[in-house]
Amino acid sequence: MISAHILSRQATRPGHGGPRFTTHSTALLVQRSLGQGLPLAHKRTIRAWESTSSSTASTGSHKESGHIDTAPHESLLFFNNLFPLKLSSILIWRPWTSEDLLQRFEQSSYSFIDPIRLVKRAINTHDQVPIEVTQIIPRLKDGGAFVKFTHPSDMSAAVVESKLSELLQNNPIKPWFNPFGRVKAGLVEGVPWLEDLYRLPRSRIRVEFVAAKDDASPAELSQETLYSIFRKFGKITEITSQPTDSKVLPRFAYIDFVLVRDAIMARNCMHGFVLREQGSKNATKLRLSYEQRVKAHHIWAWFTSHPRIVIPLVAALIAAFTVAVFDPIREFFVKAHVQKYFEFTNSRLYKWFKSQTSDILAFRRRKTEDAGLNALFTHRKDLIDSIQTGLLESVDTFTVVHGPRGSGKKELILDQVLKERSNVLHIDCKPVVEARGEAGTIGRLAFEVGYRPVFSWSNNISSLVDLAVQSTTGVKANFSENLESQVVKILQTTASALKQVGLSERKKEDKDADLSEDAYLEAHPERRPVIVIDHFLHKSEEKGVIYDRIADWAAALVQSNIAHVIFLTDDASYSKPLQRSLPDRVFRSVTLGDLSPDVAKKFVISQLQTDTKFAHDGQQKDSESGDQDNDNKNQKKDSNTPAPLDPALLKELDTCITALGGRLTDLQVLARRLKIGQSPRKAVQEIIDSTASDILRMFLLSKSSSSERKYTTEQAWYLISHLAASPSSSIPYNSVLLSNTFASSPETALEALANAELITVKSQNGMPSEIKAGKPVYQAAFQKLASDEKVKARMDLLVLTELAKMETQKIEKVEQELVMLQGLMARRPGDVSERVEYLLEKMKGGQAKLKGLEEEMGVVKGRLIKG
């Protein structure tokens, strides 16, 4: 029966436009749904009910009207609770006849599942009710049946109903499908309408008041009258009268029953009932129908009427759901990123394959670079040991590695200092700050720390939702987050994952297993992960908020003993943002400068010797194919010694290495040029020419507006020309500040040029003292640019024009002040005469300077015309 109940709800669900079943299809559906898996007696009962169907529907004596005709001394009883309501919904279109039912009523064998058994038990087993059943009309969708009966003339139908109800009350009959309910019987006082429309029973009944005669007007019954009429059918929860100002006709009222079966009994017994109230001339007929109750959505109404409370609450629930579901997943991916779970190069298969094929798959270029870097790192071994020792100490401060671009900071830390460390998180700030838009910045930062999944696009949608909610309700929903809050969220999740990484090697067998997590990390600094923040303060003027949040996050990590933090930066002003985040600590600073000429020469020679050695190895391998094994061993032993370089090349390298300087990137470029066969002199000259072209394009001929950069072309040329002419390759810092070219915002311009690496500001006792070229090779490039007459003439003309413009502005200001003092001269000449004389002398000197500048401009223009 459970399967039949489910099938009935799916077949003709009320209000969902279920299919209409024909006589044959309904019988087949019931047979298939109810007949599977039932006892044999149940199947026979189902087949018996199937046999009662006919080709046409019979709803009484008049098939078209749907009404039941009764003869004198005949009445109708409605028996409720004979069929399950849920099952009857799929049989709503099933036509039935009553002839076979009456025959089966007389021959009923009291089958357990037969509904006729219930009717027979209710009527024929009680001698106190002398009636004779003449017709049985089933109402499947109402879950009951009409029973037409005759009664003696000396007994009214009301008496029959009273006795029958009393007997059923004292001897309840419970149907098999509803053991907690019982069969009820009620006298039909009206004219029931046996329609086969798709109107399923409801607990609410609509009672319409219509006229009993066409020419009369009905009376609207009061709630007291309706209650007295319908209360006998069951508990009533509410009676709702039609509003007095309503124009809907006919007038009506709603009666809400507690149980649906009570409403069914009332509708089938009282439909068409005619009554006349006292004092009313016309009779009123009651027309009853089921009404779908409109549920009051109190919760939804409260939500929609309180947006100021609901919207923030929904935002908080969404945030809580996100934290509960996605944060553990993101922490897992951050841990996997730090510990390199999914990297193929970290797998055992790759390590085994590499160990087995290291001699076969030896790449020449990689070994050449490693040999050169090893020579460099040998020179910096003390520095490497110092940083490694600091990582073994429990000191809650930063390690800052500062040096110009190309000085080998990243290679020093990642390839040497942290070579044996497994839990290393490398964060490159350069792609983060160069990403376009907030979504790109968030996505790139998440990629750097392994934070996934990340929905960077959702913030744009949340911003639109915020705007829509604020425009409609006046309250900001705070669904969207700004860039700063999203960065903090990513970094906090990363911090939680890093703490788990530091505790991952903790075991219960350890001696200090009883320590708390914070105490354990403090006692074991060697197990903390290391965070390397590369390109710190790169383009800090554009997205300084990101660097502030990263610095605060790093300070929290070192103070909580969660991780070691190493900053790699080429910005000399790194101490300002780091001091704000960690004001009471002294940083462990490491400065990487340019290599000395001797070390630079050794670096280049080591790369050249390695390359020569590989070429020598290849020649030997070709010549060893036909030799014996002993000869092969001797030759391989000889091949391990570096091949000697040409003494002429070494002598020429000594003279060129000084001009090139000791910047690591420049030395690598020189080594590559020497490997392809260029002489040291030619290679260095081409490097200088290329560098001079880059400086000319970026600083002197750039079309960038003054708002995009904080220095002028004239200021850049001033430094280039003075550094090129300086014998010591440096100029005093204060002399630059006092020059006319740097009259406006001198320190801002110098800082911008230093960040652009055109110059380097050297300090002494914490104060800027002198200015040098940004790289050693820049000094040679400056001299080349200064020796170019065309470039020099063009740049000198720009400087002279700017100085002339400044002198003209000064003279104009003096003239304006003299005009203002003219009125005072007439009234009090003694008080302003001294000021006037000063201004006149100043204007005279300015005019002389302006004249001299114009003369120089004429000479420069002549050089440009001749050139």
Side-chain angles (χ1 to χ4, degrees), residues 130-422:
I131 61 175
E132 180 181 355
V133 177
T134 60
Q135 189 177 10
I136 299 177
I137 304 171
R139 294 291 293 166
L140 285 177
K141 74 173 183 178
D142 290 337
F146 287 99
V147 176
K148 184 189 293 187
F149 67 94
T150 58
H151 53 86
S153 58
D154 58 345
M155 182 180 293
S156 65
V159 175
V160 173
E161 179 199 18
S162 177
K163 290 184 177 183
L164 187 60
S165 299
E166 183 179 356
L167 291 172
L168 291 176
Q169 183 69 28
N170 298 331
N171 302 288
I173 300 175
K174 298 182 179 181
W176 60 270
F177 55 85
N178 188 6
F180 299 101
R182 57 188 180 87
V183 176
K184 293 182 180 180
L187 181 64
V188 178
E189 302 180 38
V191 182
W193 180 31
L194 278 67
E195 37 77 22
D196 55 358
L197 304 176
Y198 194 78
R199 297 178 180 177
L200 299 180
R202 307 293 181 202
S203 61
R204 167 174 284 193
I205 291 181
R206 178 187 174 104
V207 182
E208 296 181 352
F209 311 114
V210 297
K213 298 181 180 179
D214 295 339
D215 57 348
S217 60
E220 182 177 0
L221 301 183
S222 63
Q223 293 186 2
E224 292 83 353
T225 304
L226 292 174
Y227 183 85
S228 62
I229 295 174
F230 290 96
R231 178 61 182 86
K232 61 183 179 181
F233 298 106
K235 176 68 175 177
I236 297 175
T237 59
E238 184 61 54
I239 298 177
T240 306
S241 300
Q242 184 180 5
T244 56
D245 57 347
S246 176
K247 304 299 181 182
V248 179
L249 295 177
R251 304 290 293 180
F252 64 89
Y254 290 124
I255 301 178
D256 296 323
F257 287 89
V258 174
L259 300 178
V260 178
R261 291 192 179 274
D262 295 342
I264 293 173
M265 181 72 73
R267 194 256 181 186
N268 285 284
C269 293
M270 301 303 296
H271 179 79
F273 179 68
V274 179
L275 76 161
R276 179 185 290 117
E277 285 190 304
Q278 293 181 355
S280 178
K281 298 180 180 180
N282 300 325
T284 300
K285 180 191 290 187
L286 303 182
R287 187 164 65 192
L288 278 66
S289 61
Y290 299 118
E291 184 77 13
Q292 177 70 42
R293 180 182 296 182
V294 179
K295 297 181 180 180
H297 302 283
H298 298 291
I299 298 177
W300 177 252
W302 187 89
F303 274 118
T304 55
S305 59
H306 297 79
R308 296 175 182 268
I309 301 176
V310 173
I311 293 176
L313 181 62
V314 170
L317 292 176
I318 293 175
F321 174 80
T322 303
V323 171
V325 175
F326 289 107
D327 275 13
I329 300 175
R330 289 163 175 163
E331 288 184 7
F332 168 77
F333 279 109
V334 173
K335 288 173 57 181
H337 179 74
V338 175
Q339 297 179 333
K340 301 177 179 60
Y341 285 161
F342 305 119
E343 285 191 11
F344 178 69
T345 56
N346 200 39
S347 63
R348 294 182 179 179
L349 177 63
Y350 175 81
K351 292 179 180 179
W352 175 85
F353 183 78
K354 184 179 179 181
S355 63
Q356 297 297 320
T357 60
S358 58
D359 296 335
I360 302 174
L361 303 178
F363 294 98
R364 175 181 178 182
R365 180 180 178 183
R366 180 62 183 171
K367 285 194 174 183
T368 304
E369 294 179 355
D370 289 345
L373 291 176
N374 289 334
L376 173 63
F377 295 144
T378 302
H379 171 67
R380 294 175 173 175
K381 188 176 185 306
D382 295 338
L383 195 60
I384 295 172
D385 294 340
S386 174
I387 299 176
Q388 288 178 340
T389 304
L391 296 178
L392 299 177
E393 299 175 357
S394 184
V395 180
D396 49 351
T397 186
F398 301 136
T399 299
V400 182
V401 180
H402 170 255
R405 191 178 307 171
S407 56
K409 299 183 295 296
K410 179 179 177 182
E411 293 80 3
L412 177 72
I413 298 300
L414 296 180
D415 297 341
Q416 293 298 315
V417 176
L418 304 177
K419 186 177 182 179
E420 304 299 330
R421 287 266 187 170
S422 58

Side-chain angles (χ1 to χ4, degrees), residues 541-552:
E541 66 278 359
E542 296 181 4
K543 295 182 179 179
V545 62
I546 295 179
Y547 291 116
D548 292 340
R549 300 289 75 80
I550 290 178
D552 294 342

Side-chain angles (χ1 to χ4, degrees), residues 692-693 695-697 699-701 713-714 716-718 720-721 781-799 860 863-864 867:
S693 299
I695 294 174
L696 185 65
R697 175 176 51 84
F699 296 97
L700 302 181
L701 301 180
T713 302
E714 294 80 6
W717 174 249
Y718 177 88
I720 291 173
S721 60
F782 292 167
Q783 294 173 356
K784 179 176 177 56
L785 291 174
S787 62
D788 191 334
E789 293 295 333
K790 295 181 180 179
V791 175
K792 187 175 185 303
R794 182 174 178 179
M795 293 297 107
D796 288 344
L797 181 61
L798 289 176
V799 173
V860 173
R863 295 201 325 246
L864 282 176

Side-chain angles (χ1 to χ4, degrees), residues 537-591:
L537 298 182
H538 174 74
K539 294 185 178 180
S540 58
E541 66 278 359
E542 296 181 4
K543 295 182 179 179
V545 62
I546 295 179
Y547 291 116
D548 292 340
R549 300 289 75 80
I550 290 178
D552 294 342
W553 172 67
L557 290 179
V558 297
Q559 288 180 327
S560 303
N561 298 314
I562 295 177
H564 300 287
V565 180
I566 301 177
F567 287 96
L568 308 181
T569 180
D570 51 16
D571 195 322
S573 60
Y574 65 87
S575 60
K576 295 180 181 178
L578 295 183
Q579 284 288 354
R580 288 196 297 265
S581 302
L582 206 63
D584 55 345
R585 296 291 186 276
V586 177
F587 307 139
R588 184 183 289 110
S589 300
V590 177
T591 302

Side-chain angles (χ1 to χ4, degrees), residues 699 709-712 714-716 719 733 736-737 741-756 758-759 761 771:
F699 296 97
R709 59 182 190 178
K710 300 178 181 180
Y711 60 89
T712 63
E714 294 80 6
Q715 292 171 339
L719 295 174
Y733 184 83
V736 176
L737 295 181
T741 308
F742 285 85
S744 60
S745 62
E747 294 184 352
T748 303
L750 290 175
E751 184 179 359
L753 289 169
N755 291 334
L758 180 67
I759 60 172
V761 180
I771 297 175

